[in-house]
Amino acid sequence: TSKGRRSRRSSSGGSAHKRVNSEKFGEGRPVSSPWRWAFVGASLGDCKLYRWSHATGMVLEMTSEDTTKVSVRDAGGHLGVTCVMSNLTAYFCPLDEGDVVLCMSDGIHDNLDPETLRISPSKLGFHVESWRQVDPAEASRARQQFREARLAQILGFSDVLRDSPKLITERLLDYARESTAELRNAEERGAILQRDWTTMDELDRLREKDEVVRLQKSCAGKYDHCTCVAIAVRRMAEDELHLAQSAPLLSTNSSYPHSGSADTLDPPIIKVQVTHKK
């Protein structure tokens, strides 16, 4: 196992329970300081979970690589009329005040991946030019570290951003949109070419076809449905208690505070923002 994680797959059904080692998050905080909050979640399919540390600014990828997937189009599991639960995984992660938990679909996290971004493994310390030439275990570690670093770079150290899950989701959606701009333009050119094929001069349409194919093969990024959930954890002010108990837990267009009992000493506030775009 790598990067301070430990996972265990059960003997029945192939589902997994994963505990993220708290030693990973010990940097920059007193050893005697107890964990006040924790994130408990589960994933099925190919979404990814991240923890953005307030103390260090580092990002940790909680979800692990799914080695059961047969192709990039295979989500590894799904719900529906026929459910596939092969990569159902549960997670536990200790949190500090100010931390942010992020969950995102592959329309976002695939564009954090160096292979999707057309970054050669030679630029990340390997002596080969193709990711297919890299040992799978080493490639998985390197790609995960790159995704964590890229996500930390996108988010930066802004306290304003940390306090606004909505701004976080909007920034990640903007990043996915910018990362796929050239590829989407190439696909649009291809669609226009198909529409105008019979009306174009033969030489022009062949020249345009060659250019569209070149762009589709060379452009970085992968465009797909984008959904992002941001959960910010902090202590609650007195005037927020009443609002927190009466507000919905989840909203698709705004942030709402939420807590447990008002009698709880120094309760946490969980602010959730869900944003999704096609």
Side-chain angles (χ1 to χ4, degrees):
T1 58
S2 65
K3 299 181 71 59
R5 297 169 177 71
R6 291 184 293 179
S7 62
R8 175 176 60 84
R9 290 197 174 272
S10 67
S11 58
S12 60
S15 62
H17 301 273
K18 183 175 180 181
R19 182 174 67 183
V20 183
N21 192 338
S22 62
E23 293 176 2
K24 172 75 178 180
F25 309 103
E27 301 174 13
R29 62 193 306 279
V31 175
S32 60
S33 176
W35 298 110
R36 300 181 62 89
W37 305 293
F39 171 80
V40 178
S43 66
L44 176 68
D46 54 5
C47 288
K48 288 189 179 296
L49 289 163
Y50 294 89
R51 182 228 190 187
W52 183 23
S53 170
H54 180 267
T56 66
M58 297 173 62
V59 170
L60 175 85
E61 186 173 294
M62 288 187 267
T63 40
S64 54
E65 288 292 319
D66 184 1
T67 58
T68 66
K69 293 168 59 173
V70 297
S71 71
V72 293
R73 295 184 178 274
D74 177 17
H78 60 82
L79 300 177
V81 177
T82 302
C83 297
V84 177
M85 312 293 284
S86 56
N87 72 347
L88 175 63
T89 311
Y91 299 91
F92 166 82
C93 179
L95 300 172
D96 273 329
E97 180 178 346
D99 288 352
V100 178
V101 175
L102 298 165
C103 178
M104 62 192 71
S105 66
D106 55 349
I108 298 177
H109 70 67
D110 274 347
N111 290 294
L112 302 171
D113 190 277
E115 184 173 14
T116 305
L117 296 174
R118 306 285 183 179
I119 296 175
S120 168
S122 64
K123 295 183 178 180
L124 299 180
F126 296 99
H127 300 294
V128 294
E129 294 298 325
S130 170
W131 284 99
R132 292 185 176 87
Q133 298 173 285
V134 182
D135 175 77
E138 293 183 4
S140 178
R141 285 193 294 271
R143 291 165 67 163
Q144 177 179 316
Q145 291 169 0
F146 185 93
R147 288 192 296 266
E148 292 171 335
R150 175 57 61 94
L151 188 51
Q153 182 183 44
I154 295 168
L155 296 173
F157 284 90
S158 171
D159 288 334
V160 174
L161 198 64
R162 290 181 185 278
D163 289 337
S164 175
K166 184 177 181 180
L167 290 179
I168 293 173
T169 58
E170 289 176 349
R171 176 167 292 191
L172 291 174
L173 288 173
D174 287 342
Y175 169 79
R177 190 180 300 113
E178 293 166 3
S179 299
T180 59
E182 291 186 359
L183 180 59
R184 286 185 288 107
N185 289 336
E187 295 290 347
E188 290 170 7
R189 286 179 64 172
I192 294 171
L193 177 62
Q194 286 184 318
R195 183 195 65 189
D196 299 341
W197 185 265
T198 57
T199 62
M200 294 175 65
D201 176 79
E202 182 177 3
L203 184 60
D204 290 339
R205 68 189 183 192
L206 291 177
R207 185 183 297 113
E208 179 68 2
K209 177 184 176 181
D210 290 342
E211 179 64 11
V212 167
V213 171
R214 183 191 69 80
L215 289 172
Q216 289 174 332
K217 290 182 178 180
S218 62
C219 287
K222 172 200 165 189
Y223 64 90
D224 204 340
H225 180 94
C226 295
T227 299
C228 183
V229 181
I231 307 172
V233 181
R234 65 175 175 83
R235 282 176 292 184
M236 182 178 292
E238 283 290 331
D239 58 357
E240 294 175 311
L241 283 173
H242 178 71
L243 175 62
Q245 292 173 341
S246 61
L249 172 63
L250 200 61
S251 170
T252 58
N253 54 15
S254 61
S255 291
Y256 288 99
H258 178 80
S259 76
S261 169
D263 297 327
T264 303
L265 179 63
D266 206 14
I269 177 173
I270 306 297
K271 299 175 69 179
V272 180
Q273 175 68 29
V274 182
T275 306
H276 54 90
K277 291 189 178 181
K278 198 70 172 179

